[in-house]
Amino acid sequence: MKKQRFLFALFFLLVSLNTLAQAPKPVGPTPNERQIDWYNQEIIAFFHFGLNTYEEFVNEGDGRTTTSLFNPTALDCKQWARTLKAAGIPNGILTAKHADGFCLWPSAYTDYCVKNSPWKGGKGDVVKEFADAFNSLGVRASVYLGPHDRHEHLSPLYNTTDYRDYYAHQLTELLSNYGPMWETWWDGAGADELTTPIYTKWAEIVRRLQPQCVIFGTKNSYRFADVRWNGNESGIAGDPCWSTIDSLSIRDEHAHIKDLNEGQLNGDAYIPAESDVSIRPSWFYHSEEDVMVKSVAELWDIYCKSVGRNSVLLLNLPPDRRGLIHPIDSANVVGLRKAIDETFHTNLLEDAKVTAKNPRGGEYAAANMIDKSPDTYYAANDNATTDEIVFELNSPKTFDCLMIQEVIALGHRTTGWSVDYSNDGKKWTVIPEANNKQSIGHKWILRFSPVTAKYVRLRITKGKACPAIHTFGVYKQSALVSK
Ligand code: OTN
């Protein structure tokens, strides 16, 4: 009888442990594998390079410029890839064709391309040099094939049906002949006449030839968008910045700039914001801007307001007329990496004792927020949409930055949070910059005046479902960027 009772108790214990160990259920729209992988890249480089590079004050060529201008004297795409490696940037997008229509590869479908330039006697192929260099150095290659094409529009016979097929052929060339491509960019600028059925044909080509390729979609390509425009070209995401949006807001971007920037908590689609910005005032290289390259401190600010606002930073590093990344640009982007690595090297909470008010139990321990594992996270129990997690340090530490990450595969769960500090664990002071925050998502970073404290408290004040927090940390900003 005793043995029977013991087995019964053991059975209940095992059943309840198993229940506790169940993962929280996703809530709302969730990311696909491409989007999770895209988020994890954090920073992607943009390379605007083409005929505009060889013209004074031109960033949007009219399609009439002679191809004989294109003549890089020392093109070295390995130098671009080495710069990215030194800057910890895993992926770069080359403007294979910008709005002027000039193609950086010898397309079989146009003469307005490198074939008719003096570079390498017309035998060169920038896309090949780029893809080969990047693949050989372990950096991902991606392409921008501008949907808007001013050169094609010059033809009196231009019509969108023929252009749809022309573009489809070029997309096929780019996605068939140069190895893996990780992102393609459908710039909305000047592209209003391109209808959703046109993009449907192009999207089929992307999905068939390069299933892993992320589509940056705008306006009429919104249905195929893995990622959206963030509504500005300053690299600044909104606060909040939800990964979800009502997908029609993308189509009518003019009326929805704020929605693009901030996303919409109850949006029907998971289409996170990509934040594009140039390291220089212009998208293409112009030597007079050598004195206007964004500093490490400016880039750090942009990083914190893009990657640190649940977005991905798309940072333009325009190659110069030689075909090289200018040394000031590389020094500053490598400086940014140093600032990021130095800042986030040590989570000052790493040895803290962590207690949560509404723990789920099982493998979802509160201490998972400060371990360095990419696979573990803290979750509250299913009945709780709020929580209080206290981090108790052995001794007071000084910090001026915090970083928090949600488990994005489980959707946006937390919709309100604040962070307080204390020196006795009883009397708490809220960090003003961390008061009443809303979104978290992939990563949220906040900076503030230095605080010295023995206790830190994360208060989850509002949510759609129980919190699932991957990481929480406080940090001292690198001397490279702190004032
Ligand atoms: O003049 N513009 O076309 C323009 C000015 C300032 C900011 C953006 C734009 S166009 C805008 O570019 C985005 C990428 O940066 C997206 O492609 C949008 O769809 C497009 O409308």
Side-chain angles (χ1 to χ4, degrees):
M1 196 59 195
K2 251 188 185 168
K3 192 179 165 198
Q4 223 173 8
R5 229 180 288 150
F6 172 75
L7 285 175
F8 208 58
L10 187 68
F11 173 76
F12 270 103
L13 183 72
L14 288 174
V15 167
S16 51
L17 276 180
N18 190 39
T19 312
L20 281 177
Q22 272 179 4
K25 296 215 163 33
V27 61
T30 51
N32 62 36
E33 276 177 34
R34 286 187 297 273
Q35 292 167 320
I36 293 178
D37 181 62
W38 168 87
Y39 257 131
N40 287 331
Q41 294 173 59
E42 294 206 347
I43 308 180
I44 298 173
F46 222 168
F47 299 112
H48 278 70
F49 188 49
L51 279 181
N52 296 179
T53 311
Y54 299 87
E55 294 175 279
E56 298 300 323
F57 306 114
V58 174
N59 289 289
E60 292 273 346
D62 61 8
R64 296 172 197 272
T65 305
T66 166
T67 53
S68 64
L69 274 190
F70 187 78
N71 197 10
T73 50
L75 179 75
D76 180 3
C77 295
K78 283 197 169 159
Q79 186 253 9
W80 308 4
R82 283 195 300 273
T83 304
L84 263 52
K85 279 191 94 106
I89 299 179
N91 187 359
I93 305 178
L94 171 65
T95 55
K97 179 188 85 165
H98 202 252
D100 62 1
F102 178 75
C103 298
L104 291 178
W105 80 102
S107 173
Y109 300 92
T110 184
D111 291 331
Y112 200 60
C113 69
V114 282
K115 275 189 294 198
N116 285 308
S117 77
W119 179 60
K120 295 198 168 176
K123 299 275 179 267
D125 183 340
V126 183
V127 177
K128 181 161 171 44
E129 294 203 15
F130 163 72
D132 288 352
F134 275 49
N135 288 325
S136 74
L137 290 175
V139 185
R140 294 180 181 189
S142 296
V143 273
Y144 169 115
L145 181 64
H148 179 50
D149 187 324
R150 296 204 175 95
H151 185 76
E152 286 304 301
H153 272 83
L154 293 176
S155 161
L157 301 176
Y158 176 88
N159 65 67
T160 50
T161 309
D162 287 351
Y163 180 68
R164 177 198 65 190
D165 296 340
Y166 170 80
Y167 186 99
H169 288 311
Q170 293 200 323
L171 192 60
T172 303
E173 288 181 317
L174 290 174
L175 299 185
S176 305
N177 301 334
Y178 299 97
M181 290 290 167
W182 294 92
E183 181 163 339
T184 186
W185 234 72
W186 283 337
D187 199 333
D192 289 356
E193 67 177 12
L194 302 169
T195 59
T196 303
I198 292 176
Y199 282 107
T200 304
K201 185 168 163 116
W202 298 350
E204 183 277 320
I205 294 169
V206 179
R207 291 287 174 256
R208 179 166 47 81
L209 296 176
Q210 302 266 357
Q212 80 297 335
C213 186
V214 163
I215 294 178
F216 171 92
T218 52
K219 296 179 177 171
N220 290 336
S221 64
Y222 71 101
R223 276 197 207 154
F224 313 102
D226 288 309
V227 302
R228 69 176 195 260
W229 183 40
N230 84 347
N232 62 60
E233 292 183 344
S234 326
I236 312 286
D239 179 6
C241 182
W242 307 104
S243 307
T244 43
I245 188 162
D246 187 350
S247 46
L248 291 179
S249 302
I250 301 179
R251 186 161 68 172
D252 184 9
E253 65 180 31
H254 196 64
H256 292 278
I257 291 295
K258 189 171 186 289
D259 294 329
L260 286 163
N261 197 234
E262 297 186 354
Q264 290 160 302
L265 173 57
N266 294 313
D268 60 357
Y270 194 96
I271 312 178
E274 188 167 74
S275 299
D276 58 318
V277 65
S278 182
I279 197 165
R280 290 161 173 263
S282 298
W283 286 105
F284 285 83
Y285 177 88
H286 302 295
S287 59
E288 65 275 16
E289 294 183 354
D290 287 352
V291 291
M292 296 175 216
V293 178
K294 291 184 177 66
S295 65
V296 174
E298 287 172 302
L299 293 174
W300 169 244
D301 188 54
I302 288 172
Y303 174 84
C304 291
K305 290 173 177 165
S306 54
V307 176
R309 287 188 181 172
N310 188 35
S311 181
V312 160
L313 171 59
L314 179 57
L315 180 61
N316 183 52
L317 306 171
D320 64 18
R321 287 188 176 178
R322 296 168 303 167
L324 298 174
I325 308 295
H326 192 278
I328 300 176
D329 305 37
S330 21
N332 291 3
V333 75
V334 171
L336 170 65
R337 173 52 55 192
K338 202 157 178 251
I340 297 167
D341 289 351
E342 283 182 8
T343 300
F344 297 109
H345 179 265
T346 307
N347 180 355
L348 296 169
L349 300 177
E350 68 187 357
D351 298 323
K353 190 177 137 210
V354 196
T355 45
K357 197 169 167 188
N358 299 320
R360 188 176 196 82
E363 65 199 83
Y364 302 98
N368 291 349
M369 284 184 276
I370 53 170
D371 69 7
K372 292 198 170 92
S373 166
D375 303 319
T376 64
Y377 62 92
Y378 166 71
N381 66 63
D382 282 335
N383 300 321
T385 53
T386 63
D387 210 339
E388 279 184 22
I389 302 124
V390 174
F391 301 81
E392 180 185 349
L393 292 160
N394 293 325
S395 58
K397 298 261 167 67
T398 301
F399 51 92
D400 60 5
C401 178
L402 71 81
M403 188 264 276
I404 183 168
Q405 296 186 282
E406 220 175 5
V407 181
I408 57 170
L410 299 176
H412 274 299
R413 311 176 73 80
T414 291
T415 59
W417 57 283
S418 295
V419 178
D420 318 303
Y421 63 94
S422 167
N423 275 302
D424 59 8
K426 293 179 191 128
K427 196 170 150 285
W428 294 94
T429 306
V430 69
I431 297 171
E433 291 79 0
N435 194 21
N436 288 328
K437 304 311 293 178
Q438 298 177 55
S439 52
I440 302 177
H442 173 257
K443 190 170 272 191
W444 204 271
I445 296 170
L446 294 172
R447 292 162 294 160
F448 37 85
S449 302
V451 164
T452 302
K454 189 166 184 295
Y455 297 85
V456 177
R457 182 173 69 181
L458 167 63
R459 255 183 307 127
I460 308 275
T461 53
K462 210 172 165 195
K464 285 179 147 190
C466 67
I469 308 293
H470 182 278
T471 303
F472 181 74
V474 298
Y475 309 85
K476 182 79 195 73
Q477 288 175 68
S478 159
L480 286 171
V481 288
S482 59
K483 288 175 191 118

